[in-house]
C-alpha cells in the first residue's frame, strides 16, 4: 500500500492545468521531484518562489545557509536567486543577512486587487465592525492553515500582528474550523490523520477525537466558536461564506476579548451580523 508521501508524489506528477489544479497536499519537494521531466515546468521560477516563501516567520531575515537548510537548494543557486531578487527590489542585504522588502507586497496585492471575493468583503467587514465595534476578518483555507485576505480592525488592541496575509493554524481558529467543516469527508479525515496539533494555551483542543467532534458540530451548527484556544483572552466566532452554488470559498469572523463579550453575546449579537454579511457576499458570488 502506498504511504501518504507516495500518494502525493503520484498526484503531483499529473500535468498542471486549469481543469486539474495542484494537489494541496503535495509539498514543494514533491512537486519539484515529480515535475523534473516536465518541459513546461519553469524550475528557476519555482526555485525563486521557494526562496521567497522561506522567509515566512523570520522577521530578522535569513542567511544563505539558513535558506539552504529550509529549501534544500544549493547555496550557489540561492545566491543567484537572491541577487536577482535584490536587483528587482524584492530583497535587501545587510552583511550576511537577507530580508524581504515591501516590494514583495505587490505580489500579494495582485491577488487582493483581482479577487472579487476580497473586493466584495471589504465593505461587508467594515459594516460588521461598525455595527459591533469589534474586529472582523475574512480568510481562506490553504492546506492546514488559514490565510487572512481581508480585515476590518476595531480600535481595540487584540491579537497583535494580525493583518492581511497573516497565517494561522486552521484547527484552533474559528474560521479554520468552519472551513475544515466544509471539506469533503475523505479530505477532512486525511487532514486529521496528518495533523499534529500543539497547545497554544491550556484551552487548546489537541485530541483528534475531540477536534473531529468539535468541527463536525460546527458543520451542523453553521458556525464555530473558539474560546481562548489560540491566544489567552481571545474569543471569536465565524461562519462560512458560500457561492450561490453552495460552494464554501471563505470564512468571516468576529474576534473579541473575553472581558467585553461573553459566549451568549457572540451568538445573540455577533452571529446574526456575520450571517447577514455571509448572505450579502453569497448574493454577489457565482
Amino acid at each position: 500500500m502506498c504511504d501518504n508521501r507516495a500518494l502525493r508524489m503520484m498526484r503531483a506528477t499529473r500535468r498542471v492545468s486549469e481543469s486539474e489544479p495542484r494537489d494541496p497536499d503535495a509539498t514543494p519537494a514533491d512537486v519539484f521531484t515529480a515535475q523534473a521531466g516536465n518541459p513546461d515546468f519553469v524550475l528557476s521560477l519555482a526555485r525563486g518562489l521557494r526562496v521567497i516563501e522561506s522567509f515566512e516567520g523570520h522577521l530578522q531575515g535569513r542567511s544563505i545557509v539558513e535558506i539552504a537548510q529550509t529549501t534544500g537548494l544549493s547555496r550557489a543557486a540561492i545566491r543567484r536567486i537572491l541577487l536577482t531578487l535584490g536587483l528587482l527590489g524584492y530583497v535587501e542585504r545587510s552583511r550576511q543577512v537577507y530580508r524581504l522588502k515591501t516590494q514583495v507586497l505587490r505580489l500579494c496585492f495582485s491577488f487582493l486587487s483581482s479577487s472579487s471575493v476580497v473586493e466584495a468583503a471589504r465593505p461587508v467587514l467594515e459594516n460588521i465592525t461598525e455595527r459591533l465595534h469589534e474586529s472582523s476578518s475574512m480568510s481562506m483555507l490553504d492546506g492546514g492553515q488559514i490565510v487572512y485576505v481581508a480585515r476590518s480592525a476595531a480600535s481595540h488592541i487584540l491579537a497583535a500582528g494580525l493583518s492581511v496575509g497573516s497565517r494561522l493554524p486552521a484547527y484552533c481558529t474559528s474560521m479554520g474550523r468552519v472551513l475544515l467543516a466544509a471539506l469533503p469527508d475523505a479530505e477532512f479525515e486525511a487532514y486529521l490523520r496528518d495533523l499534529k496539533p500543539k497547545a497554544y494555551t491550556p484551552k487548546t483542543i489537541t485530541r483528534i477525537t475531540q477536534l473531529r467532534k468539535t468541527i463536525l458540530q460546527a458543520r451542523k451548527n453553521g458556525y464555530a466558536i473558539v474560546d481562548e484556544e489560540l491566544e489567552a483572552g481571545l474569543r471569536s466566532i465565524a461562519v462560512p461564506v458560500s457561492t450561490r452554488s453552495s460552494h464554501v470559498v471563505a470564512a468571516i469572523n468576529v474576534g473579541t476579548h473575553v472581558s467585553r463579550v461573553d459566549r451568549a453575546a457572540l451568538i445573540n449579537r455577533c452571529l446574526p451580523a456575520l450571517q447577514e454579511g455571509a448572505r450579502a457576499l453569497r448574493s454577489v458570488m457565482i
Side-chain angles (χ1 to χ4, degrees):
M1 182 178 291
C2 295
D3 60 17
N4 289 339
R5 180 175 175 80
L7 287 172
R8 293 199 303 267
M9 287 285 292
M10 292 167 59
R11 295 170 187 160
T13 56
R14 299 172 182 166
R15 296 258 325 251
V16 177
S17 67
E18 292 183 0
S19 60
E20 188 175 15
R22 180 182 74 85
D23 171 31
D25 292 328
T27 67
D30 294 333
V31 178
F32 268 62
T33 302
Q35 299 296 335
N38 183 353
D40 295 327
F41 185 73
V42 184
L43 187 59
S44 58
L45 174 60
R47 285 173 173 167
L49 293 173
R50 195 168 178 187
V51 167
I52 291 175
E53 291 174 347
S54 73
F55 283 91
E56 181 180 354
H58 298 276
L59 301 179
Q60 303 304 316
R62 308 203 78 190
S63 68
I64 289 177
V65 173
E66 291 170 334
I67 295 172
Q69 291 172 344
T70 299
T71 64
L73 301 176
S74 71
R75 298 182 190 181
I78 294 170
R79 188 175 290 107
R80 292 195 300 271
I81 291 169
L82 290 171
L83 174 62
T84 302
L85 292 173
L87 291 172
L88 293 173
Y90 289 112
V91 300
E92 62 183 358
R93 177 182 175 182
S94 176
R95 296 186 179 181
Q96 301 304 313
V97 175
Y98 293 82
R99 297 179 180 84
L100 294 181
K101 296 179 66 176
T102 55
Q103 173 82 354
V104 80
L105 293 175
R106 295 184 66 180
L107 302 175
C108 176
F109 183 73
S110 296
F111 164 73
L112 295 176
S113 62
S114 63
S115 171
S116 59
V117 176
V118 174
E119 189 64 28
R122 292 188 183 110
V124 171
L125 296 179
E126 289 171 0
N127 180 64
I128 292 172
T129 296
E130 182 178 356
R131 178 174 168 182
L132 300 176
H133 306 292
E134 301 291 349
S135 297
S136 59
S137 308
M138 171 184 274
S139 72
M140 294 180 175
L141 192 64
D142 182 19
Q145 297 180 314
I146 59 169
V147 182
Y148 280 67
V149 297
R151 183 163 167 79
S152 175
S155 58
H156 312 296
I157 299 176
L158 183 68
L162 281 184
S163 60
V164 171
S166 293
R167 304 173 74 92
L168 294 174
Y171 70 90
C172 59
T173 56
S174 59
M175 288 190 287
R177 285 182 182 170
V178 294
L179 290 169
L180 291 171
L183 292 176
D185 289 341
E187 192 172 339
F188 173 57
E189 290 300 328
Y191 164 81
L192 290 178
R193 280 197 301 272
D194 293 337
L195 182 63
K196 294 178 175 59
K198 75 171 187 177
Y200 288 88
T201 77
K203 294 187 177 182
T204 307
I205 298 175
T206 56
R207 291 178 55 194
I208 299 299
T209 53
Q210 190 176 356
L211 271 173
R212 179 187 288 108
K213 180 179 179 180
T214 300
I215 293 170
L216 291 178
Q217 187 63 47
R219 178 187 292 180
K220 179 180 178 181
N221 293 341
Y223 67 87
I225 293 177
V226 167
D227 203 347
E228 299 189 273
E229 292 189 47
L230 178 67
E231 178 181 319
L234 175 62
R235 179 176 283 155
S236 66
I237 184 170
V239 300
V241 175
S242 306
T243 64
R244 280 177 278 178
S245 58
S246 298
H247 176 63
V248 174
V249 295
I252 56 177
N253 88 331
V254 166
T256 184
H257 196 274
V258 294
S259 64
R260 290 196 306 272
V261 180
D262 59 21
R263 290 178 66 94
L266 279 184
I267 295 174
N268 296 329
R269 289 184 57 246
C270 300
L271 180 58
L274 287 170
Q275 290 172 329
E276 183 179 322
R279 285 193 296 270
L281 289 170
R282 180 186 179 97
S283 66
V284 299
M285 293 183 190
I286 298 174

